[in-house]
Amino acid sequence: MIARDGYGPPGSVAVSMSPAATERLIRGLPGVTGLSAMAAEEVQITGQGQSLMVDFRRSDSKDSPWPVLKGTWLDGPGQVEVNGDFLYKRGLRVGDTITLAKGDRQVPVVIAGELLATGIDRIYSNWETLQQLDPAKRADTYEVKLAPGTDAQSLVERVRAADPGFLAFTDTDVTQSSVVVMSGTATLLSLLLGTVAGMGIFNTVVLNTRERRRDLGMLKSIGMTPRQVVVMTVSSMATLGLAGSLVGVPLGVLCHHLLADLTATAAHAIIPASMLRVFSAPLLLGLGAAGLAIAVLGALLPASRAARLTIAEVLHNE
């Protein structure tokens, strides 16, 4: 990603290169296989009395950078793409026509498709439509596609050296912090849930062994060894953990689908079925094994304590 004017911090140096020179520079870098020029422009929708940001894009690729849920991707001037929230708020549908206005210029555009894209009240269009609204508008951002194995950081440094006004960065720079936060939060939540489940098993086994102290004493008096006591106690909890896995894993998958549908409905969007198929067979088996492991680990300590009970101690307490 390479940003031009308007994206740098206050006091930063302005870009001195022309748009044509900028594109020649980027395309001449080793490993560059594709380029997209983008510009954000504030426009008005005629009849609605409000200004919205429109992201205009000129790309080497004809494919959509976002999943198209309904309709088609842009293939000519006078077309826009919006998300489900935009359509819901205005009572519009794919195929309807709206009019974009910038100064004294007005351009009627057709809603060509609905995108699964973030950003509330943002419209996406192509460069031909921008030329009709503001012919003098320059690209403010360039998105670069690199061949596999290309050192992106070295290209970033070369771009910055070519013109100090460029704010060049990689996708990793943008997404790494958010990915770390999301992954860390999910991991912490999983550990907390596993700990709570283990403590629940621990509490169940403690209560169970206390209630069965007399039975354990009688079993030990007729020759049951401490090892057999541990195996018996852990096995009973392992059965409980296995049953919980057999019920909980399918129920969790069902809840995931229901919550995803509710979230999509609240956001006035559509989630493709392919994006919901995130649970593979090995993953589901691993989740089931995790439930079994939590049950066994939670039962080990109280089972070991029960195995150390002496017959005299049990009879004395009785």
Side-chain angles (χ1 to χ4, degrees), residues 41 105 237 291:
E41 183 83 343
R105 293 176 178 266
M237 291 300 104

Side-chain angles (χ1 to χ4, degrees), residues 173-315:
D173 298 332
V174 179
T175 60
Q176 186 175 16
S177 59
S178 59
V179 170
V180 169
V181 171
M182 293 177 63
S183 299
T185 302
T187 301
L188 179 61
L189 181 60
S190 299
L191 291 175
L192 289 176
L193 291 175
T195 302
V196 171
M199 293 300 295
I201 294 293
F202 178 85
N203 182 64
T204 300
V205 178
V206 169
L207 294 177
N208 191 31
T209 52
R210 285 185 178 275
E211 293 176 355
R212 299 176 58 188
R213 290 168 66 93
R214 176 184 175 87
D215 297 337
L216 291 175
M218 294 180 61
L219 290 174
K220 296 187 73 173
S221 67
I222 60 177
M224 177 173 278
T225 64
R227 183 187 297 272
Q228 290 173 328
V229 173
V230 172
V231 172
M232 179 189 68
T233 306
V234 172
S235 298
S236 63
M237 291 300 104
T239 303
L240 181 62
L242 180 60
S245 296
L246 293 176
V247 175
V249 171
L251 186 61
V253 174
L254 177 61
C255 289
H256 167 263
H257 284 71
L258 292 177
L259 289 176
D261 289 339
L262 290 175
T263 303
T265 301
H268 314 298
I270 301 173
I271 298 180
S274 59
M275 298 184 65
L276 296 177
R277 292 194 291 267
V278 297
F279 297 101
S280 61
L283 177 60
L284 294 177
L285 291 175
L287 293 174
L292 181 60
I294 290 173
V296 171
L297 293 176
L300 279 177
L301 180 59
S304 300
R305 295 186 61 181
R308 290 195 296 268
L309 290 174
T310 63
I311 300 174
E313 182 180 359
V314 172
L315 295 178

Side-chain angles (χ1 to χ4, degrees), residues 65-202:
W66 303 278
V68 179
L69 304 178
K70 292 182 181 178
T72 60
W73 178 241
L74 305 168
D75 57 5
Q79 297 179 351
V80 294
E81 302 281 337
V82 298
N83 58 15
D85 189 72
F86 180 93
L87 296 174
Y88 175 80
K89 286 183 176 180
R90 294 161 180 81
L92 298 171
R93 295 181 300 175
V94 173
D96 290 346
T97 300
I98 58 177
T99 301
L100 304 182
K102 178 66 177 179
D104 58 351
R105 293 176 178 266
Q106 293 187 359
V107 177
V109 294
V110 176
I111 301 176
E114 177 185 346
L115 300 177
L116 181 63
T118 58
I120 300 176
D121 285 345
R122 292 185 76 93
I123 308 174
Y124 306 87
S125 190
N126 48 30
W127 209 259
E128 293 85 353
T129 305
L130 174 61
Q131 296 304 301
Q132 297 177 16
L133 283 171
D134 188 358
K137 180 68 176 180
R138 302 168 60 181
D140 52 40
T141 307
Y142 294 92
E143 189 176 272
V144 182
K145 182 179 180 180
L146 303 178
T150 304
D151 185 2
Q153 192 58 42
S154 65
L155 297 186
V156 166
E157 295 173 356
R158 292 182 62 173
V159 170
R160 291 173 177 170
D163 192 323
F166 284 123
L167 178 63
F169 50 90
T170 65
D171 289 341
T172 303
D173 298 332
V174 179
T175 60
Q176 186 175 16
S177 59
S178 59
V179 170
V180 169
V181 171
M182 293 177 63
S183 299
T185 302
T187 301
L188 179 61
L189 181 60
S190 299
L191 291 175
L192 289 176
L193 291 175
T195 302
V196 171
M199 293 300 295
I201 294 293
F202 178 85

